[in-house]
Amino acid sequence: MKLGTLLIHSGHETDPATGALGVPVFQTSTFDQGDLSKEREFDYARSGNPTRKALEETIAALEGGGRGYAFGSGIAAISSALGIFSAGDHIVAAGDIYGGSYRLLNTFYKRWGLEHTAVDTGDPENIRRAIQPNTRAVFLETPSNPLLKITDLRACAAVAKETGLLTIVDNTFMTPLLQRPIELGADIVIHSATKFLGGHSDVISGLAVCATEALGKRVYAVQNGFGAIPGPWDIWLVIRGIKTLKVRLEAQQKTAGILSRRLREHPHVEAVYYPGLEDHPGKAIHDAQASGAGAVFSFKTKTREQALRFLGTVKYAAAAVSLGGVETIASYPVRMSHASIPPAERERLGITDTLIRISTGLEEAEDLIEDFENALA
Ligand SMILES: *Cc1c(COP(=O)(O)O)cnc(C)c1O
């Protein structure tokens, strides 16, 4: 089965009890265990819920993993996956990960004694150099946020494997439709399902997929024990979103290609960052590990005033955080997703006050071009 078909026929297209084509929303906290001499699959809804199970099996199938788990947010998925480690353990993380992941590692997990070293994962050798005796995992994100830098997942996972480290990949920007990290050597794949998987800017949700059943048991122990689970209605929205992922993402990606090329020609635009552009420095590696460039790109105006005027004037792009929805979103990383990173560190990473990140929606490309050109004029 091809992925586009698997999005629809993941094993949950009909409810065995009723024949319903939609996955039922099991709005219940507990389950009658009846005859206590018999093993029951469900007992309490933090531990398991049939609606959640449908989503967890779907994402595991899409990523080609052994087990999938759903969480109340992308950050809940990341904190729960990292929850398999212990105080005194160390991980090597990409330097330009999602701002919330940066904050999680630098505040919460630092207090709980999980150390990390941030490196530029553009060169896998930087990972090797950062490995310590207590290193347990490598945490990667590609394309990176917000500068769309590319990390070679195969090469980094190979370095991790040499010393028995786990490779964890945040695959939110690509989705399993465009990139499947487990096939490239990853052990855990994370999603903010809030973004492309949900796809309609109407739900906060997260997922984690483990390559093996054994690793899945460790993450399940955190899901159940730490308890950062989603409710069944939110899960249902993600299940519904996933069914249209292919048509949405392909259309949004096409528009991102058109818009990024047009912006590059604009006199007020300093640079455009998109792995779909021929001269993107990571294009060859990206093309070798992903089947498309995605629907997120960023650009820098020449001055801060131009960036602020663009955000204040643009009509069809909401000036907001988040990405992957049906509506175009223009975000301003220095004030939004990366506001928690100290200014000096931000500047070093190239996240300047002229940088705008775009997630293209399903509007007509022609309208977006006209709108963007007007906002830049
Ligand atoms: C949004 C996002 C997250 C966090 O997900 P939430 O659902 O907002 O908790 C993590 N990683 C990436 C790449 C994201 O874009």
Side-chain angles (χ1 to χ4, degrees):
M1 209 191 296
K2 291 199 162 56
L3 261 134
T5 309
L6 192 59
L7 290 169
I8 313 296
H9 296 286
S10 59
H12 296 284
E13 59 271 26
T14 44
D15 172 39
T18 61
L21 288 198
V23 173
V25 177
F26 285 88
Q27 185 70 45
T28 185
S29 60
T30 192
F31 299 83
D32 185 343
Q33 298 180 54
D35 178 355
L36 288 173
S37 66
K38 293 206 181 86
E39 276 289 316
R40 292 280 178 144
E41 185 176 2
F42 300 103
D43 49 30
Y44 185 61
R46 170 161 39 74
S47 310
N49 170 302
T51 313
R52 192 171 94 208
K53 184 183 175 201
L55 173 59
E56 293 178 336
E57 291 185 348
T58 297
I59 194 63
L62 290 171
E63 287 287 3
R67 289 295 296 270
Y69 297 99
F71 297 91
S73 68
I75 279 296
I78 295 168
S79 37
S80 299
L82 296 179
I84 68 172
F85 302 115
S86 303
D89 286 348
H90 171 260
I91 68 169
V92 180
D96 48 358
I97 48 174
Y98 173 72
S101 307
Y102 176 93
R103 184 175 51 201
L104 178 71
L105 288 172
N106 281 287
T107 58
F108 182 86
Y109 270 117
K110 189 171 255 174
R111 276 196 292 110
W112 284 89
L114 178 66
E115 298 165 30
H116 80 282
T117 305
V119 302
D120 178 355
T121 52
D123 179 0
E125 286 308 309
N126 290 337
I127 294 177
R128 197 193 303 279
R129 281 191 277 272
I131 294 173
Q132 307 174 4
N134 59 341
T135 306
R136 301 284 175 258
V138 176
F139 185 82
L140 307 169
E141 196 178 313
T142 182
S144 77
N145 188 11
L147 284 168
L148 288 296
K149 288 191 199 146
I150 303 303
T151 287
D152 186 335
L153 291 178
R154 270 191 204 90
C156 292
V159 168
K161 220 142 258 163
E162 279 171 26
T163 43
L165 311 183
L166 296 176
T167 299
I168 304 172
V169 178
D170 183 334
N171 201 30
T172 299
F173 273 36
M174 288 285 99
T175 83
L177 195 67
L178 300 180
Q179 179 170 278
R180 276 175 302 289
I182 289 171
E183 288 173 4
L184 305 168
D187 300 287
I188 302 180
V189 178
I190 305 280
H191 286 284
S192 167
T194 309
K195 315 296 168 53
F196 290 102
L197 298 178
H200 295 74
S201 308
D202 54 11
V203 63
I204 297 282
S205 185
L207 299 163
V209 178
C210 299
T212 65
E213 190 77 29
L215 193 52
K217 285 208 172 82
R218 292 169 69 190
V219 172
Y220 175 71
V222 184
Q223 185 195 42
N224 188 40
F226 192 61
I229 54 147
W233 288 104
D234 284 359
I235 291 164
W236 181 84
L237 282 169
V238 176
I239 290 172
R240 183 159 103 153
I242 285 176
K243 290 187 196 294
T244 56
L245 176 65
K246 186 168 187 281
V247 282
R248 283 186 288 106
L249 187 51
E250 284 177 356
Q252 288 167 262
Q253 174 172 260
K254 188 163 171 233
T255 304
I258 295 170
L259 210 54
S260 61
R261 280 181 182 82
R262 280 298 275 267
L263 283 179
R264 197 157 60 156
E265 311 291 307
H266 198 281
H268 292 172
V269 172
E270 176 75 33
V272 179
Y273 306 90
Y274 183 55
L277 296 173
E278 289 309 319
D279 56 0
H280 186 287
K283 188 169 192 305
I285 292 170
H286 184 75
D287 288 352
Q289 65 191 11
S291 59
V296 178
F297 68 88
S298 57
F299 70 99
K300 280 180 184 168
T301 52
K302 295 214 162 122
T303 67
R304 174 174 176 271
E305 288 63 40
Q306 285 167 343
L308 291 175
R309 203 171 328 115
F310 175 86
L311 291 166
T313 314
V314 74
K315 273 193 309 195
Y316 300 137
V321 289
S322 202
L323 56 105
V326 294
E327 51 287 284
T328 296
I329 291 179
S331 66
Y332 192 47
V334 292
R335 289 268 198 81
M336 300 174 179
S337 55
H338 293 66
S340 59
I341 300 180
E345 174 67 3
R346 256 191 338 237
E347 198 68 29
R348 199 184 59 75
L349 293 170
I351 304 167
T352 59
D353 58 12
T354 57
L355 181 71
I356 294 169
R357 190 190 71 195
I358 302 295
S359 166
T360 48
L362 288 175
E363 301 89 346
E364 296 283 351
E366 284 297 301
D367 286 334
L368 290 173
I369 290 169
E370 191 187 313
D371 185 29
F372 277 40
E373 287 183 343
N374 179 51
L376 280 169

